[in-house]
Amino acid sequence: MHLVPADRAGHRTIDGHRVCEAIAAIGDAHRVRTWAERFSLLADPGRLSLLLALHRAGPLAVTDLAVATGMRDPAVSQALRLLRTAGVVAGEKDGRVVRYRLVDDAMRPLLDECAGGEHIELPGHTADEERPGSTAATG
């Protein structure tokens, strides 16, 4: 029971070796808190929808995200403010338009899992269409 913190060392355990394994699995409290905050961002359906859209489609403006998610522009803006403050998304200004993109790489596998690992191609569209730097034709 060498991993048990001093403030808990006097507590009775049933399976001491498993307690040590559990403590090791939990690891650093700061890392646990960081991941809990990430999961809380995913817990809201609106924010999750925004993140899934940005993850799959690339940088999008507020109005485009509103159309894609069915949310109103002010709700999208408010959610993006929260996500930007958390360091999950960033906005890039292009003239008068700000396009938001996913910047937290740790979110990508979680979003892949949320999407079921599937990428849906729309008829007449390719994955590269309308992405910045894409060579695909734009309409």
Side-chain angles (χ1 to χ4, degrees):
M1 293 206 341
H2 64 285
L3 293 177
V4 176
D7 64 331
R8 292 180 253 162
H11 293 228
R12 185 176 77 84
T13 62
I14 306 297
D15 297 307
H17 64 287
R18 289 191 183 186
V19 171
C20 289
E21 288 177 22
I23 290 170
I26 294 167
D28 177 58
H30 176 70
R31 184 181 54 82
V32 170
R33 197 171 9 268
T34 299
W35 276 101
E37 290 168 4
R38 277 191 182 108
F39 286 123
S40 73
L41 292 172
L42 298 173
D44 176 75
R47 289 191 302 265
L48 179 56
S49 295
L50 292 170
L51 290 170
L52 287 167
L54 292 173
H55 179 55
R56 289 291 191 206
L60 289 166
V62 169
T63 54
D64 292 341
L65 283 165
V67 171
T69 61
M71 297 168 65
R72 295 182 180 267
D73 285 11
V76 170
S77 293
Q78 182 179 4
L80 288 171
R81 240 185 329 273
L82 178 69
L83 293 168
R84 192 175 59 240
T85 300
V88 176
V89 301
E92 296 175 359
K93 199 163 185 146
D94 182 17
R96 293 178 54 171
V97 175
V98 178
R99 287 185 179 85
Y100 290 87
R101 63 184 177 86
L102 183 66
V103 294
D104 184 347
D105 288 335
M107 281 285 198
R108 294 182 191 283
L110 297 173
L111 294 170
D112 281 337
E113 189 63 31
C114 288
E118 297 177 17
H119 180 74
I120 299 170
E121 291 287 336
L122 299 175
H125 292 82
T126 64
D128 292 332
E129 219 170 322
E130 296 187 23
R131 285 194 183 188
S134 170
T135 57
T138 58

